[in-house]
Amino acid sequence: MSILSMQNIEKSFDNIEVLKDISFSVEEGEVVSIIGPSGSGKSTLLRCATFLETIDSGLIAYNDEPVTTMVDGKCVYAKDLNNFRKRFGLVFQNFNLFPHYSVLKNMMDAPVSVLGRDKAEVEEECMALLKKMGLEDRADAYPCQLSGGQQQRVSIVRALAMKPEILFFDEPTSALDPELTGEVLKVIKELADENMTMVIVTHEMAFARAVSDRVIFMADGVIVEQGAPEDVFGDTQNERTKQFLANYNR
């Protein structure tokens, strides 16, 4: 069973097609990296998967339960989107932490207020997650007191605190310098080793090659190629992919 299925996805902004008939699915425990040039539609695809953007047409399903249906040529969303939102976590490139909340409160807020879980139980779980990330001594700190790498690790554990079935990452290291990038990529690699289902939009090619079960290469709003990392990076026969990777490897 696919955790996520997106079929024949179309999305335009101001009559400019950004996603053109995109279809792919993600299986439980799979790590899928999405690579491609700027403006290829990678982040828009992620935003459509997480309902931050609405699609113009196509089918989205989580665990084979439809989020969208096509009625008379129009895309109609399920009424209970919150039920679907609980199934995924999203980590942004700019952290998106609440500046007026401590690290611990940033993590606890959604499980307690959205899921209605027991506060003491959530706090215990959150502290365990912070310890796992090497951040247990920062529980009472505020985001402004953390490095960028620490803020991104907090945003990852905040997403994990919701116990999602799938985690989405939108360029999780693009706002970080190389040293802090390594910190965050290490955390994502550890999650992959624990069979966390993940979709990662990234410009870190070596990381995508090392951590992914499957790599999707997008350009001009379409999926140009997808396959195992060794095929896409090491043995691609596709000229557009070759061109992109050649520019990256200079």
Side-chain angles (χ1 to χ4, degrees):
M1 181 172 64
S2 300
I3 295 271
L4 168 69
S5 175
M6 300 184 76
Q7 302 299 319
N8 310 114
I9 304 300
E10 304 268 353
K11 175 65 181 176
S12 297
F13 293 107
D14 299 325
N15 296 320
I16 297 169
E17 282 187 297
V18 179
L19 300 177
K20 308 168 189 174
D21 197 24
I22 296 272
S23 294
F24 79 107
S25 58
V26 183
E27 305 304 311
E28 186 174 0
E30 191 177 25
V31 178
V32 177
S33 288
I34 304 177
I35 63 170
S38 295
S40 59
K42 306 183 301 294
S43 290
T44 299
L45 181 60
L46 215 65
R47 290 176 67 81
C48 288
T50 55
F51 323 145
L52 294 173
E53 299 286 357
T54 55
I55 60 173
D56 299 327
S57 66
L59 301 173
I60 302 173
Y62 279 89
N63 297 322
D64 295 336
E65 288 183 50
V67 177
T68 64
T69 49
M70 295 300 294
V71 179
D72 298 330
K74 291 188 175 178
C75 184
V76 179
Y77 276 75
K79 286 182 179 161
D80 188 13
L81 279 185
N82 281 336
N83 172 44
F84 290 102
R85 286 191 179 100
K86 291 172 185 176
R87 302 183 188 194
F88 58 76
L90 179 57
V91 178
F92 300 89
Q93 51 185 299
N94 294 321
F95 324 133
N96 283 30
L97 298 172
F98 296 115
H100 55 295
Y101 285 179
S102 69
V103 165
L104 187 58
K105 185 163 173 49
N106 259 289
M107 292 174 64
M108 290 180 59
D109 190 56
V112 172
S113 61
V114 177
L115 300 184
R117 294 187 54 212
D118 178 72
K119 195 172 179 180
E121 186 180 296
V122 170
E123 181 171 352
E124 189 177 327
E125 287 177 8
C126 288
M127 287 304 296
L129 281 169
L130 285 173
K131 186 171 185 180
K132 183 177 172 183
M133 298 283 179
L135 292 167
E136 68 267 37
D137 61 334
R138 310 300 283 158
D140 296 325
Y142 287 84
C144 65
Q145 298 171 307
L146 305 177
S147 71
Q150 288 173 327
Q151 287 187 62
Q152 192 59 296
R153 279 185 284 161
V154 170
S155 67
I156 293 171
V157 291
R158 178 178 65 176
L160 288 172
M162 291 291 282
K163 299 189 175 179
E165 297 168 21
I166 181 170
L167 265 183
F168 294 96
F169 294 87
D170 185 12
E171 299 276 17
T173 59
S174 65
L176 304 175
D177 65 38
E179 190 173 352
L180 298 179
T181 292
E183 279 180 27
V184 173
L185 296 182
K186 179 171 175 280
V187 168
I188 299 173
K189 175 78 168 66
E190 287 168 359
L191 292 173
D193 291 342
E194 295 167 8
N195 291 320
M196 184 76 209
T197 309
M198 293 185 282
V199 177
I200 307 165
V201 169
T202 183
H203 60 274
E204 299 284 345
M205 296 301 126
F207 173 72
R209 185 171 188 166
V211 79
S212 307
D213 297 301
R214 183 156 46 101
V215 174
I216 292 174
F217 171 62
M218 287 183 67
D220 303 317
V222 300
I223 292 177
V224 175
E225 181 176 10
Q226 61 177 310
E230 56 268 24
D231 295 332
V232 175
F233 288 107
D235 192 33
T236 181
Q237 304 304 304
N238 185 287
E239 283 305 317
R240 184 67 184 87
T241 312
K242 281 182 182 175
Q243 179 191 349
F244 172 74
L245 293 174
N247 288 336
Y248 242 99
N249 292 334
R250 276 179 188 160

